[in-house]
Amino acid sequence: MNNVYIGDVFEFVRNGASIKQSENASGIPVTRIETIWNSTIDSERFGYANIIDASEYENYLLKDGDILMSHINSPKHLGKCACYQNKPDKLIHAMNLLNLRPNSDFISSKFIYYFFNTPKFKGMINKISNQSVNQASFSAGNLKKLQVPLPPLAEQKQIAAILDAADSLRQKDQQLVEHYTAFSQSLFLEMFGDPVTNPLDWNTKLLDEITDFITSGSRGWAKYYSDTGDLFLRIQNVGENRLSLDEIAYVKAPNTTEAKRTTVKAGDILLSITADLGRTAVIPEGLPKAHINQHLAIIRLKSGFVPFYVSEYISSIGGRRQLNQSNKGGVKAGLNFNDIKALKIPIPPIELQNQFAERIAIIEKQKQQAQANLKKSEALFNSLLQRAFTGELTADKAA
């Protein structure tokens, strides 16, 4: 596998046209940085500038196989890219993304797209980037001087086909996980109605009236971090009305009032009180001893109220709208206890709350299986991606 300069195997590497976009415009879509936020061409994140006739921008219309790359972004998103595959049939390349057009005589677009998604390439990008606190950038000229591995064209296409198949599998698994998330949300609407308008006219109570205990974590845990010990729950462990333990931290907790106060119990609701307000999770039975950090609050309900229902309401559009209206900075640089206690919660009959919790448990079990499958397909893809650029991945070696 030979190394070649990017500038030698692409027809061009350039920035896009300077086009003033506006929120209420229409016409032929125009790229923005957000267009490639998830490493695909996202049709929900185009810009528009009332361009009806593309002749003025003919040189900037994307062609099949063009690769869009972020070269001005926050450091972790720098170098993110997506491959254009004629959808939509007309898309104008605008400023703030580079367009790399492969020379099809030498290079497979999908092959090099996959290389651009490897940790090795991310490391190469870091070396040519100008870094600041919140933003980084690199020039098209420096990008063209980077060397990339390039086997014969036929082998590139063979490798790209293998990676395409693995990528398709993980995308299907991801879609299934998203399906179960949407199913939970639709079940809530079906059983309880719109959380904003409360069309079934359930009686409402302040969250303060249905809780025994509300507290938040503190900043004083840094010196207790450890490789073992009690779980330390952070904001990344909370979301989609469930607890995620994909990113685990541990603390060797001291025997203090603070440590006891921030210890979670089964059935507790965790609430994000900074950043993305309103993310929730219910602590399941059997979780090892765990504490929370300063970005989370514990909500412990009185008997007669179902945590899964209350958690789902808080994270719904109705709950989040109330929380965002309350966000004034507060003692926790987000929500304070008065904000949380003032949440108005519609209270349907306990039997209906329990039915919802039972159905959610079934959905969650199926979702966990889908997530396990997703982890396997992601591990397979990442393994193949690593092998692809070391000469280990061709049809006869992939098995």
Side-chain angles (χ1 to χ4, degrees):
M1 189 177 298
N2 296 323
N3 287 326
V4 299
Y5 290 104
I6 286 178
D8 290 341
V9 291
F10 284 83
E11 293 183 19
F12 58 72
V13 177
R14 71 183 185 193
N15 211 327
S18 179
I19 300 173
K20 186 176 181 180
Q21 303 171 28
S22 59
E23 188 172 339
N24 298 318
S26 59
I28 298 171
V30 176
T31 66
R32 302 185 297 171
I33 289 180
E34 304 94 310
T35 299
I36 63 169
W37 77 280
N38 63 348
S39 298
T40 62
I41 304 293
D42 190 337
S43 61
E44 299 297 320
R45 297 173 185 264
F46 292 148
Y48 294 89
N50 291 323
I51 300 172
I52 306 301
D53 181 1
S55 58
E56 181 182 351
Y57 299 100
E58 187 172 354
N59 290 335
Y60 290 97
L61 286 172
L62 293 179
K63 291 186 178 181
D64 186 41
D66 282 357
I67 296 173
L68 295 177
M69 182 178 292
S70 178
H71 68 119
I72 303 173
N73 214 321
S74 60
K76 70 176 181 178
H77 294 300
L78 201 66
K80 183 174 286 187
C81 62
C83 187
Y84 175 70
Q85 296 178 286
N86 284 335
K87 291 183 181 179
D89 59 352
K90 287 185 179 180
L91 179 59
I92 299 172
H93 173 216
M95 294 286 287
N96 297 328
L97 288 173
L98 293 180
N99 181 14
L100 292 78
R101 179 164 295 168
N103 186 328
S104 58
D105 292 336
F106 302 105
I107 194 166
S108 159
S109 178
K110 289 305 291 287
F111 172 86
I112 201 64
Y113 160 77
Y114 284 122
F115 177 74
F116 288 159
N117 280 276
T118 63
K120 180 178 180 179
F121 181 72
K122 300 298 182 186
M124 296 164 65
I125 286 294
N126 288 336
K127 291 180 180 179
I128 65 169
S129 299
N130 298 311
Q131 303 276 348
S132 61
V133 176
N134 295 316
Q135 192 174 68
S137 64
F138 59 85
S139 68
N142 284 334
L143 180 64
K144 289 191 284 187
K145 295 175 185 177
L146 294 180
Q147 288 186 310
V148 295
L150 209 64
L153 185 58
E155 187 175 332
Q156 293 178 47
K157 293 179 178 179
Q158 188 179 38
I159 291 171
I162 294 170
L163 292 174
D164 275 344
D167 189 38
S168 176
L169 176 61
R170 69 171 183 165
Q171 287 185 31
K172 288 178 181 177
D173 287 338
Q174 178 63 49
Q175 289 167 2
L176 186 57
V177 171
E178 292 169 356
H179 165 77
Y180 285 125
T181 299
F183 191 22
S184 298
Q185 295 166 349
S186 64
L187 177 64
F188 183 90
L189 290 173
E190 178 186 330
M191 294 183 68
F192 306 114
D194 186 334
V196 175
T197 61
N198 189 17
L200 299 179
D201 200 27
W202 306 115
N203 290 329
T204 63
K205 290 181 178 292
L206 298 180
L207 188 62
D208 188 37
E209 298 178 83
I210 66 173
T211 55
D212 275 333
F213 177 73
I214 296 177
T215 193
S216 61
S218 69
R219 298 178 181 273
W221 284 97
K223 60 185 176 181
Y224 300 112
Y225 272 94
S226 174
D227 293 332
T228 59
D230 298 342
L231 294 179
F232 191 54
L233 301 177
R234 300 165 296 166
I235 202 165
Q236 54 264 54
N237 299 119
V238 174
E240 297 180 357
N241 201 23
R242 64 180 293 274
L243 190 69
S244 170
L245 299 180
D246 291 338
E247 298 182 44
I248 297 295
Y250 296 93
V251 289
K252 289 192 174 179
N255 184 22
T256 62
T257 301
E258 175 75 6
K260 292 175 183 177
R261 180 180 63 81
T262 60
T263 303
V264 300
K265 295 181 179 181
D268 283 352
I269 299 170
L270 299 187
L271 169 67
S272 61
I273 56 175
T274 66
D276 187 7
L277 303 178
R279 288 163 60 176
T280 61
V282 177
I283 299 297
E285 295 283 351
L287 185 75
K289 189 175 181 181
H291 307 270
I292 60 169
N293 74 356
Q294 72 271 21
H295 301 295
L296 297 176
I298 296 172
I299 300 172
R300 191 168 295 156
L301 300 179
K302 294 178 179 178
S303 61
F305 302 95
V306 178
F308 277 104
Y309 165 75
V310 176
S311 175
E312 187 73 41
Y313 177 80
I314 292 173
S315 64
S316 74
I317 187 172
R320 283 177 178 253
R321 179 175 292 182
Q322 292 186 61
L323 291 173
N324 283 313
Q325 288 173 345
S326 298
N327 180 24
K328 311 176 190 66
V331 297
K332 292 294 180 182
L335 297 172
N336 59 39
F337 293 151
N338 289 333
D339 296 332
I340 299 170
K341 291 176 180 179
L343 265 173
K344 295 179 180 178
I345 311 290
I347 307 296
I350 188 67
E351 296 81 8
L352 203 58
Q353 294 181 50
N354 282 325
Q355 285 179 26
F356 176 73
E358 290 167 3
R359 294 180 186 180
I360 285 292
I362 295 171
I363 295 171
E364 186 61 27
K365 186 175 181 180
Q366 294 170 327
K367 183 177 177 179
Q368 287 175 357
Q369 182 59 57
Q371 288 170 324
N373 291 338
L374 176 59
K375 284 186 178 180
K376 291 178 182 178
S377 61
E378 285 182 334
L380 172 63
F381 175 81
N382 290 330
S383 173
L384 293 173
L385 188 65
Q386 182 177 0
R387 294 166 60 192
F389 304 101
T390 58
E392 299 179 40
L393 187 64
T394 55
D396 58 328
K397 297 178 181 178

